[in-house]
Amino acid sequence: MTKPIQSVERATRIIDYLAERPETKISELSTRLGISKTTLFGIAETLCQDGVLYKNPLSSGYSIGSKFIRYAKPLNNDQLIRLLTPYLQVVCNEFGEDIYLAIIQDQHVHYIATIEADLPQHKKVPTTTDDFLYNTAAGKMMLSSFLPAELTVYLDQLHESGKLTEPQVRDLNRDLTKVRQDNLSYDLGGQSPDINCVAVGIRNSRHEILASMAVLMQRNEDVSERMAAIAERMQAISAELEQRLI
């Protein structure tokens, strides 16, 4: 039997570990794999240069790189949370607002992660575990990904149940066209008169929406410029992540 080449064997072990645990740092890899930090760093950085791995400049955590996107399995919720948390934290720290990561579940917005602003003057915006799709920014973002026939059925159900009038259904359909174009959604008091929300879609390399990143804030002042700045920051993050996610 051919003797294994140690550096290749170690590289394979690193890739196997990161395939299940994105955003892992050198210290954790060293502990879990029993390889010195110096050796790990050299291998990991080489794999990053080749595009096999990716090193997040925000967190110094390593993940599977663009070369492996075509081979890797889709991320589950736990992996998605771990991968996106550094980006959620950046937006939260930069703007001092709570930020949420949401997915669609049973035709509702389901929140899977929250980063809360740690500021003395910050007022927490109350949320529930699940919200409707049609009247939240995160929900409208994910609703915009529905196929035409699927969307028609959903909108008909809203009308038939009395949740929306026919003119409101037309307005929502028109809004969703712009949401698709901009990858950006707003809720200005639609869910609650005291809450504003802005959301972007987190998309994979096939441009499919995996989740929505949303910032909620109190409607106690004119926050249009602030929301525009938050939207621009989140759109930039979404564009960067689209090259990495599967």
Side-chain angles (χ1 to χ4, degrees):
M1 180 182 290
T2 303
K3 183 179 179 180
I5 299 174
Q6 189 178 53
S7 59
V8 176
E9 183 183 35
R10 287 172 169 173
T12 301
R13 291 170 61 196
I14 293 169
I15 293 167
D16 284 344
Y17 191 88
L18 294 177
E20 298 295 331
R21 305 167 188 85
E23 282 293 323
T24 298
K25 298 182 180 180
I26 285 292
S27 56
E28 180 180 339
L29 282 170
S30 179
T31 300
R32 297 296 184 183
L33 301 182
I35 305 172
S36 72
K37 292 181 183 179
T38 302
T39 300
L40 272 171
F41 182 79
I43 296 173
E45 289 296 310
T46 300
L47 292 173
C48 284
Q49 291 173 18
D50 290 340
V52 175
L53 297 184
Y54 174 84
K55 184 179 182 180
N56 188 341
L58 300 174
S59 64
S60 298
Y62 291 89
S63 304
I64 295 298
S66 58
K67 274 192 177 178
F68 267 27
I69 283 178
R70 72 186 70 177
Y71 307 116
K73 296 181 294 184
L75 296 169
N76 59 40
N77 287 347
D78 289 341
Q79 293 168 337
L80 195 62
I81 292 168
R82 183 164 181 166
L83 187 67
L84 297 180
T85 292
Y87 297 94
L88 299 175
Q89 191 68 64
V90 163
V91 176
C92 178
N93 292 346
E94 189 170 332
F95 295 99
E97 300 288 354
D98 297 345
I99 182 164
Y100 299 81
L101 183 64
I103 60 171
I104 186 170
Q105 182 172 290
D106 299 327
Q107 291 200 339
H108 283 76
V109 179
H110 181 65
Y111 300 101
I112 59 175
T114 306
I115 303 293
E116 296 182 7
D118 186 21
L119 296 173
Q121 71 275 20
H122 174 71
K123 293 183 178 179
K124 179 173 173 54
V125 176
T127 60
T128 59
T129 303
D130 298 285
D131 281 328
F132 292 115
L133 293 175
Y134 68 90
N135 67 346
T136 61
K140 285 188 284 187
M141 176 53 61
M142 290 182 283
L143 194 57
S144 72
S145 69
F146 278 27
L147 296 174
E150 186 182 16
L151 180 60
T152 297
V153 170
Y154 179 80
L155 294 178
D156 286 345
Q157 290 173 344
L158 289 177
H159 183 223
E160 291 169 2
S161 66
K163 289 186 173 67
L164 293 181
T165 64
E166 191 170 329
Q168 288 173 325
V169 169
R170 288 198 298 267
D171 290 344
L172 176 58
N173 214 346
R174 185 170 55 249
D175 289 345
L176 292 176
T177 300
K178 185 168 178 57
V179 171
R180 288 187 203 98
Q181 293 172 347
D182 299 341
N183 192 37
L184 184 65
S185 177
Y186 290 98
D187 169 30
L188 306 178
Q191 180 186 12
S192 168
D194 300 324
I195 297 175
N196 276 347
C197 182
V198 56
V200 300
I202 302 301
R203 300 175 181 271
N204 62 16
S205 56
R206 296 181 296 278
H207 206 59
E208 300 163 337
I209 292 181
L210 302 179
S212 181
M213 182 187 297
V215 170
L216 279 69
M217 63 187 73
Q218 296 283 347
R219 292 191 77 200
N220 53 5
E221 57 181 309
D222 183 7
V223 292
S224 57
E225 290 186 9
R226 182 174 178 79
M227 290 188 76
I230 293 172
E232 183 177 359
R233 187 73 170 95
M234 292 199 298
Q235 282 181 308
I237 288 173
S238 176
E240 177 185 341
L241 287 168
E242 189 170 341
Q243 306 305 313
R244 298 179 52 199
L245 298 177
I246 57 173

